[in-house]
Amino acid sequence: MTVAIVGSGIAGFTAYQSLRRELEPEEIVVLGPDDDPASTFRRHAAAIHQREMRSESDGHCLAASFPGLSFRSAVRRRSPGPLLGTLVDRYHPTLDEFLDHVEGLRDRSGWDRSLRRTRVARVRAVEDGFELDGHGAFRHVLLAPGHPGLNVPGGLRDDPRVVHSYEPHEYESTVTVVGAGLAAATEWLNALAAGAEVVSVRRREPVRRPLNVPREYLSRRGLAGFHRLGREERAAKLRMLLAPSYPPGRRFDEPLATATMEDRFRVEESVNGSRQVICATGFRRGFRHDPLLARLVDEHGLETVDDWIVLDPDGSVPALTDDSRTLALAGVSAQWAFPAADTLTGAKYVAHAFLRRCRTR
Amino acid sequence: MSYTLRGRIESRIAAVLPVLAAACALAAAEHRWWPVEAAGLMLGIGLALDVQVYHPLLRYQPAWATLPLGALELGLLLAAMRAAGVAAPLGQALLLFAGAWLVAQLLGHAGFPLLRLSYAEDGGELGRLGAAVAVSAGIVLAGAGATAYALRPPVVHLAAGVHQGPLVITRREVLVGEPGAVVRGGIVVRARGVTIRNVSVVGGENGITIDGYRGTVLDRVSVSGSKLDGIHVRLAGVVIKNCTVDMLGNPLGQGIDISYNMNMGMSMVEGCTITGGMEGITTHSSMTQVTDNHVSRTTMRGISVTEMSMGMVMDNEVRDAHGIGIWCNDRSMCSIEHNTVVGTAGVGVLASFQSEAALRGNQLTTNTVPFQATVNSEVATTH
């Protein structure tokens, strides 16, 4: 056995699908606490009543971008609608479509045969590989530990009115939503639809763009320049690219305009006296919040910049990767290599490169 | 998709490779080079646009953009083919382009991503495959160019002065007349792919006879004093450009007669001046495009499209025909556009015997009867 994935969430699952192009389930070990790869995602999506994906036709877990979800949907519905939507970048799979896709893929791909339900707390470099917390040594290891917990701003942690947007909740009559990303925008609409009066508290005006980052940063076109940046410039660029954003369009604009006219929606600088405070502030940022990654960095003296572990452009850890072994990061912890690493496209980006390394070394 | 420059170029070349192969096969089957020339131009235009326009302007190219960009490339291709003198049948050229576009879409959206998992994130780059296809395309084009060069027909120069005919051409060649070269007694073409350029023909039963051979090009030929037809084409595909046919003194002859070549594809008469004779240009059971010609002083008809012909008659000037200016006859289908017919003693445009003529933008008012339809025929006019 030479290949292991640490993490059984969506990023690990997506990487697994790429590896399965060339490896049998028995040749891959997945170490993670959940057998359902979508369990965390499903819980978060349910909490904010998410109905459709921000991603487009390529937002799936399969190794190749074709056939994407729009093509499959068009075949299933016997309608060209999804394909026409893709033509103008307006196709977004529904949440149910995506979850069905994950479920089907889980059954077909042999995921459960590869999975060992366990939590890995330590990765240690050994000769020609990595020892995974008593589960054996592997030559090629992909770490996909996921987001390190929900982020609640310091001043609000002890406030009894506070709930995080990704935790189950209903809506009070007056609601303050903290944040400026897609989760915040979704919560504005949810709370307004529930009849609440909504106050948006945010540090900056939200960026409006279709995907998490400008599209050129999903391919080598934008990434080549990004990878050429020096450490400080790259960190600054990452902070800029990762600023909260949500898609442009009437879906958000019209209800907010109407609510503003009715005096049910306004922007304020700080949390006021609302009965409920929803923190749509995403996840805690930085490797230090993840015990596995923090220990990996400390024990191996890995290079870091601010919140990020320094990676090669393909997502591998340079100090621990050579011709005989590979340690790569996937998911949010791979942002140093791929700014949108916590998306499905990002998971595939790292997985494809990881597969190349497994194949050639 | 956000292409890198290299990705655009590699994807472009890889997508055109099957089209080049198809073009080579088509060229071999038809013994004509236009498919390869068109595919080469297609590639050249695409690469130029990639480098000069698409890459600087399109940091992200949405899928819908392939439609207007495809239309742009088609327009440029047709213009380039015209400028380069690539004589391709329009329908087949459009079909080739449409096929190439479709292949490119299928490969770009399905084939390449399946072949190379990281195709999208690599910005369309194909890795080692990209270099291989570039070399392959280069080899195919160089091979086609070398073959075309090796197969060029011999050029025969006809010296100035009078040469006694009839001159019979029995092999594929380009006959080029020096200034003042005259053939007395007519020219007979008895081979495929003959080009005759800058030659004057005087006398003969027909001035130039082409019977049963494809691919003849008559360019800047001058014919006078023939007994029957000036240029006589039977069962043959022909392109006649910039000719002069003088039929004055022969009230029963025909300037250009192209007949019974419906199965030979489109023939063309363009930029010719025909004076006198019974008919200026006549086609029987033929698909011929008649454009930009000057026909005058014929004893019966200026231009005839007859016997189940399909013809496009455009931008011609017909003067002083004694009978009919433009005649669409005997179950023919004629598209008659932007012609000027003046001084006709009879009818400007006549459709007769179950024919259909579509008229558009013609100047017919100075004729006794501008246009007419008889015997179950139809004239449809639009402006």
Side-chain angles (χ1 to χ4, degrees), chain A residues 294-304 319-320:
Chain A
R295 192 169 181 181
L296 179 76
V297 167
D298 292 341
E299 288 184 350
H300 298 86
L302 300 184
E303 189 182 1
T304 62
L320 299 176

Side-chain angles (χ1 to χ4, degrees), chain A residues 69-352:
Chain A
L69 292 184
S70 69
F71 183 84
R72 290 160 193 273
S73 179
V75 170
R76 197 176 52 253
R77 294 189 213 166
R78 294 181 182 176
S79 157
L83 291 175
L84 293 175
T86 287
L87 208 60
V88 290
D89 294 335
R90 292 283 187 276
Y91 172 78
H92 300 280
T94 65
L95 193 71
D96 289 341
E97 276 177 322
F98 176 72
L99 290 173
D100 287 348
H101 153 74
V102 172
E103 195 59 40
L105 211 48
R106 177 185 167 188
D107 291 342
R108 288 198 305 275
S109 63
W111 168 258
D112 291 283
R113 277 150 63 195
S114 298
L115 182 73
R116 295 183 197 168
R117 284 191 64 172
T118 183
R119 193 177 288 278
V120 174
R122 186 184 186 200
V123 176
R124 192 165 53 86
V126 294
E127 192 178 351
D128 291 339
F130 303 92
E131 157 57 37
L132 299 182
D133 211 6
H135 296 282
F138 299 84
R139 279 183 64 199
H140 303 292
V141 175
L142 184 70
L143 300 181
H147 288 284
L150 303 178
N151 176 43
V152 176
L156 296 172
R157 278 184 199 136
D158 299 324
D159 190 327
R161 300 171 300 164
V162 165
V163 63
H164 195 281
S165 59
Y166 289 146
E167 291 170 334
H169 57 278
E170 296 302 326
Y171 300 92
E172 298 287 347
S173 56
T174 56
V175 176
T176 291
V177 178
V178 182
L182 179 56
T186 307
E187 289 290 32
W188 301 334
L189 301 193
N190 290 343
L192 289 170
E197 202 173 284
V198 179
V199 175
S200 166
V201 171
R202 56 216 195 190
R203 282 184 297 176
R204 58 171 78 86
E205 273 306 293
V207 176
R208 304 294 297 272
R209 63 179 164 227
L211 302 177
N212 299 43
V213 299
R215 291 178 191 273
E216 67 202 72
Y217 286 95
L218 301 179
S219 91
R220 191 174 286 174
R221 168 107 195 207
L223 290 173
F226 174 74
H227 291 149
R228 278 197 298 271
L229 293 174
R231 292 159 43 110
E232 296 309 320
E233 291 98 330
R234 200 195 293 201
K237 186 78 171 178
L238 263 178
R239 277 191 285 274
M240 191 194 80
L241 290 173
L242 300 178
S245 70
Y246 66 96
R250 286 182 302 179
R251 183 184 145 218
F252 293 103
D253 294 344
E254 284 183 354
L256 293 181
T258 304
T260 303
M261 281 193 334
E262 293 170 350
D263 209 21
R264 292 177 54 222
F265 180 80
R266 63 184 182 279
V267 178
E268 290 188 358
E269 287 186 359
S270 58
V271 173
N272 56 17
S274 296
R275 295 171 65 90
Q276 184 183 31
V277 177
I278 298 175
C279 288
T281 41
F283 303 94
R284 297 160 86 184
R285 281 192 178 186
F287 70 91
R288 278 286 158 211
H289 295 293
D290 187 303
L292 172 68
L293 295 179
R295 192 169 181 181
L296 179 76
V297 167
D298 292 341
E299 288 184 350
H300 298 86
L302 300 184
E303 189 182 1
T304 62
V305 176
D306 295 353
D307 291 338
W308 296 284
I309 299 174
V310 171
L311 303 176
D312 275 341
D314 64 359
S316 61
V317 179
L320 299 176
T321 300
D322 54 33
D323 286 344
S324 63
R325 64 183 182 179
T326 308
L327 183 71
L329 303 188
V332 66
S333 54
Q335 285 172 333
W336 191 257
F338 193 87
D342 59 339
T343 64
L344 291 159
T345 303
K348 275 186 269 196
Y349 171 87
V350 173
H352 293 159

Side-chain angles (χ1 to χ4, degrees), chain B:
Chain B
M1 178 147 157
S2 289
Y3 287 99
T4 63
L5 179 58
R6 184 177 164 184
R8 278 191 185 280
I9 291 172
E10 288 184 353
S11 294
R12 168 86 60 183
I13 295 174
V16 97
L17 204 55
V19 179
L20 266 178
C24 288
L26 191 61
E30 290 209 347
H31 300 285
R32 295 172 71 183
W33 282 104
W34 74 261
V36 180
E37 292 168 337
L41 280 175
M42 212 182 291
L43 179 60
I45 289 168
L47 291 176
L49 287 171
D50 284 338
V51 174
Q52 297 294 332
V53 182
Y54 299 161
H55 183 69
L57 294 184
L58 300 175
R59 297 190 73 77
Y60 167 71
Q61 184 177 313
W64 61 263
T66 55
L67 291 169
L69 296 184
L72 169 71
E73 290 179 25
L74 174 60
L76 291 175
L77 174 67
L78 293 178
M81 284 171 68
R82 194 177 177 84
V86 176
L90 184 62
Q92 291 183 41
L94 290 175
L95 211 59
L96 183 72
F97 182 85
W101 185 84
L102 198 62
V103 166
Q105 299 313 308
L106 289 173
L107 287 175
H109 289 99
F112 295 148
L114 286 171
L115 201 64
R116 185 174 167 84
L117 291 182
S118 57
Y119 177 73
E121 62 233 29
D122 288 346
E125 293 179 18
L126 294 167
R128 285 187 201 135
L129 181 67
V133 295
V135 170
S136 305
I139 289 171
V140 171
L141 281 174
T147 308
Y149 185 81
L151 294 179
R152 282 181 315 155
V155 178
V156 177
H157 292 273
L158 199 60
V162 177
H163 302 264
Q164 188 56 47
L167 180 61
V168 181
I169 301 173
T170 57
R171 62 170 188 174
R172 182 169 170 258
E173 68 178 33
V174 178
L175 178 68
V176 181
E178 303 291 346
V182 176
V183 176
R184 185 178 289 281
I187 295 177
V188 179
V189 174
R190 286 198 186 147
R192 292 170 69 136
V194 170
T195 297
I196 302 173
R197 187 172 293 140
N198 296 336
V199 175
S200 293
V201 182
V202 176
E205 198 140 294
N206 297 310
I208 298 174
T209 303
I210 307 150
D211 193 343
Y213 297 96
R214 289 171 186 261
T216 304
V217 176
L218 306 181
D219 186 11
R220 295 193 292 277
V221 298
S222 165
V223 177
S224 62
S226 57
K227 291 178 188 163
L228 297 176
D229 298 338
I231 298 172
H232 177 88
V233 181
R234 287 283 182 281
L235 301 164
V238 67
V239 172
I240 305 171
K241 296 188 288 189
N242 307 314
C243 69
T244 305
V245 180
D246 182 350
M247 300 295 289
L248 290 169
N250 183 352
L252 299 177
Q254 301 171 115
I256 298 173
D257 178 354
I258 301 174
S259 297
Y260 313 122
N261 64 351
M262 187 65 99
N263 61 340
M264 299 263 182
M266 187 70 103
S267 286
M268 192 165 82
V269 181
E270 184 181 33
C272 288
T273 301
I274 299 114
T275 314
M278 185 171 69
E279 294 193 299
I281 301 169
T282 184
T283 70
H284 295 252
S285 292
S286 174
M287 275 201 298
T288 298
Q289 183 173 321
V290 180
T291 57
D292 205 19
N293 302 287
H294 299 264
V295 180
S296 61
R297 299 163 66 185
T298 51
T299 57
M300 287 188 74
R301 281 144 333 229
I303 297 171
S304 301
V305 179
T306 185
E307 268 193 89
M308 294 170 283
S309 286
M310 294 174 74
M312 184 172 277
V313 181
M314 286 176 62
D315 298 311
N316 300 284
E317 184 183 78
V318 179
R319 286 187 175 273
D320 304 327
H322 283 193
I324 299 161
I326 299 172
W327 191 29
C328 182
N329 180 53
D330 194 0
R331 297 175 178 163
S332 293
M333 297 174 72
C334 311
S335 175
I336 300 170
E337 299 183 6
H338 304 294
N339 300 283
T340 302
V341 181
V342 292
T344 302
V347 183
V349 173
L350 176 67
S352 59
F353 198 71
Q354 300 177 10
S355 295
E356 294 174 20
L359 273 58
R360 185 174 173 203
N362 298 287
Q363 300 286 328
L364 305 174
T365 51
T366 61
N367 302 287
T368 311
V369 178
F371 60 87
Q372 194 174 44
T374 62
V375 195
N376 298 325
S377 295
E378 197 174 294
V379 171
T381 58
T382 52
H383 296 284

